Amino acid sequence: MRLSLRFILPLLIALALIAYGVLPLVDRLTLQWFERDLDSRSALVANTMQEPLVDLVRTGSKSKTIAYFNRITQDERLFAIGYCDASHATLFATKSLPRELVCEDLTLFAGGPPRLLSSAKGPLHVSTRAVMADADLLGYLVLVHDMSFIQRRSDETKKYVFYFFVALGAVVSLITVVIAQLSWRGWIQGTRALLRGEGLLRPAERIVVPELQPIARDLRSLIRELGAEYRPRDESQLSWTPDTLRSILHRDLKGHDVLVVSNREPYVHVHAEGRIETRRPASGLVTALEPIMRACSGTWIAHGSGDADREVVDRHDRVGVPPEHPSYSIRRVWLSAAEEAGYYYGFANEGLWPLCHIAHVRPTFRAADWEQYVAVNQKFARAVMDEARSDDPIVLVQDFHLALLPRMIRERLPKATVITFWHIPWPNPEAFAICPWRAQLLDGLLGSSILGFHTQFHCNNFIDTVDRTLEARVDRETFNIFYGGKPTSVKRYPISIEWPTSPDLIRKPVEDCRREIRERLGLPAEHAISIGIDRLDYTKGILERFMAVERLLELEPQWVGHFTFVQVAAPSRSSIGEYQNFEQQVRVLADKINGRFGRGAYLPIALRIEHHEPVDVYEYYRGANLCFVSSLHDGMNLVAKEFVAARDDEQGVLILSQFAGASREMPEALIVNPYDIDQCAAALHVGLTMPVAEQRDRMRVMRALISEFNVYRWAGRMLLDAAAMRRRGRLAFGAGGATAGRNAA
Ligand code: F6P
């Protein structure tokens, strides 16, 4: 394709040049040359005829004069001759003289520029010359030349010029193609050779010239720097949409296998009311990755946790989703009750979850849970092997349930690019040190090519933890860790949500959402509504939130009867004792506050502990005056971003905990310390009374942030980094395998 373009393009350019430039020019020039030629010819003929003509005119013999003229016009180009006397009257002429040439007119042109006439024979060149006898004017000689031969010659010349230029164009095209091919190959080979240190070799012997090695090294690092500079520029120029992601996959990762692996699946099939229902679990991870998978297709490997999951899969344990328009597959991994208890509830949620979140819940580590954690990670590794279509897939490993998986993949598929994203905070080294299997966890994670966290703070904590725990080389300038093989790049990738928001979620007008919420809760018009939307988890600060509501009603009693806080809490990890206690505490506190400030049907807290589908959650986002995110500790918290994205009316107030990663990105929210109950109560009052214009100003800035840094950008940045890493890996691989790879990165 490229080859034929290189050939055809110059040829087409040459043809266009000929048609619109060269041929008209040839025409013009030939005409000018021949006209000049005929002028001087006419002068010559007139001079030659001068004497005989004077004699003939003096004899007064018309027939002799015309016979003389006829003899001369035997010349093929001389078409006609005429003679007028000085009084512009008498005309001796050959028969061929065109009728329109009359003496009165002709004599006016004597000695002047020639006239051009058209006739049936073709164009004619008319030149009039004075005939002198002893310095007296005797008359005028009219010479008419046939110009049709000029046209014939011009056509012939044009034909030759045309063939000449076509041949020239073809030769130039051919040379272009050959040179381009040679120089491209030469450049590639030259660069490869130079990167291997061979470009500076004596070719016959293929021996490295040691003194030139530094140049090769410099070139390598120059290429790396250029690559690094190019990437961010390229990234910021993109506007991030599903199409952008698709084109990155197509352009930079064409034909590569992309797999996502997580514990939580994006769609759960459950039995409900005698049929199978599809549900979307309450999970930040799912919220972020689902649109990515819809955009890019591929396979998502996850634990099949629904009670109807097995009934809908094919014989490879796969099911196409989303149910309405399947565009990617879930490959389900089945876990026994013992595996789920040890790996998910035990090690992941009773051990790692409290270990990584500062919520003052003591982590519990049991050896039996650890064994299940290892075994289940192995099970996921086998599923990755089953699903990989090549030996170098790109595998996106998600979250703290699968910390050992990156190393397991690396051992089985050394050429794979493993991008691991840790969705929760990473603790400081002292906190992490209490985990009995800390070294194994770090080793597992360092099987990743890229390891991502939401904030720079968590990246720093991770690097410090590795530095304290393992014999690894930590490069704090590039944030690369060298440990047992390939390096791991530790980087900040703040997660986000889909933007623009799916129209299905924001179709219902804000006023309708508000009215329906009030109707559902039995609240009067003008009643203020605040919301909290969470999984029922002790890290979310739900108790602190309720305490703040209580304090608000104490400090600002005018809100009693005019304000309701709706808490939507999706049941989560409910077989864990800590979560059962927490649910109990939440219910008790809500009851206490409702008992204290409730009036008849009015309750200040409406607690809804049940699963809500996204469309119902968005109705709350759109209908509320205020959303309160009070996490005690949170990687990012996507509820904060969803609330902002849902408010296309640019109204609504967000109160946001300073301990959620989102507070780094959206300082325009009312930022609070959830442990400071009075401060949170004051923020509730400020939020509920905030002028419309101020709400709009804050909302606009936050919406602009999310529109620019959406989830496609989050995934796209990781994929672009992975693509660049693979390119570098290929160069380094050519430059001497693993050793060069380690040194290069
Ligand atoms: O925050 C970490 C995380 O995996 C989130 O992505 C998600 O919101 C939550 O935990 C889901 O927990 P689970 O999968 O246990 O319900």
Side-chain angles (χ1 to χ4, degrees), residues 497-511 513-514 531 533 614-624 627 638-652 654 666 699 702-703 706-707:
I497 55 166
E498 186 179 14
W499 181 286
T501 308
S502 159
D504 293 342
L505 297 175
I506 50 173
R507 186 160 293 129
K508 198 186 283 182
V510 165
E511 279 316 316
C513 294
R514 192 161 293 166
I531 52 158
I533 311 270
V615 69
D616 305 321
V617 170
Y618 270 72
E619 187 182 79
Y620 279 115
Y621 287 146
R622 283 169 74 70
C627 175
L638 293 183
V639 166
K641 291 189 174 179
E642 284 181 342
F643 173 66
V644 170
R647 299 312 295 260
D648 53 1
D649 61 340
E650 297 179 338
Q651 291 297 298
L654 175 64
M666 299 195 293
M699 257 306 166
M702 293 190 283
R703 287 173 63 80
I706 299 173
S707 73

Side-chain angles (χ1 to χ4, degrees), residues 264 283-285 344 353 399-401 423-424 535 572-573:
R264 182 62 62 205
S283 157
L285 177 158
Y344 173 74
W353 182 265
D399 230 352
F400 61 101
H401 313 90
H423 288 256
I424 60 176
R535 278 182 312 104
S572 177
R573 307 168 186 173

Side-chain angles (χ1 to χ4, degrees), residues 70 167 192 298 395 397 400 419:
N70 283 339
R192 276 194 196 141
V395 190
V397 176
F400 61 101
I419 307 176

Side-chain angles (χ1 to χ4, degrees), residues 317-362:
D317 297 325
R318 295 189 197 122
V319 59
V321 286
E324 326 78 68
H325 302 289
S327 58
Y328 67 94
S329 311
I330 301 179
R331 155 69 199 276
R332 284 176 169 151
V333 173
W334 310 116
L335 301 182
S336 66
E339 283 172 331
E340 197 178 354
Y343 140 85
Y344 173 74
Y345 290 109
F347 194 75
N349 286 320
E350 289 191 278
L352 290 179
W353 182 265
L355 178 74
C356 293
H357 289 90
I358 309 171
H360 310 287
V361 170
R362 187 189 168 116

Side-chain angles (χ1 to χ4, degrees), residues 265-270 277-281 305-307 309 332:
E265 57 183 342
Y267 291 89
V268 189
H269 289 92
V270 290
E277 261 181 24
T278 314
R279 291 200 182 147
R280 290 275 301 275
S305 56
D307 62 10
D309 272 3
R332 284 176 169 151

Side-chain angles (χ1 to χ4, degrees), residues 291 296 477 534:
C296 303
E477 197 183 338
D534 307 85

Side-chain angles (χ1 to χ4, degrees), residues 224-282:
R224 272 201 307 282
E225 275 166 29
L226 282 177
E229 265 176 32
Y230 160 82
R231 216 178 322 113
R233 200 171 48 238
D234 189 38
E235 204 188 282
S236 63
Q237 281 162 2
L238 294 172
S239 100
W240 291 90
T241 62
D243 283 342
T244 321
L245 261 192
R246 272 191 285 268
S247 70
I248 287 175
L249 284 177
H250 191 73
R251 188 194 64 197
D252 293 291
L253 296 164
K254 192 171 182 191
H256 293 284
D257 229 353
V258 179
L259 300 170
V260 169
V261 198
S262 72
N263 171 69
R264 182 62 62 205
E265 57 183 342
Y267 291 89
V268 189
H269 289 92
V270 290
H271 287 113
E273 293 165 10
R275 57 191 184 92
I276 294 179
E277 261 181 24
T278 314
R279 291 200 182 147
R280 290 275 301 275

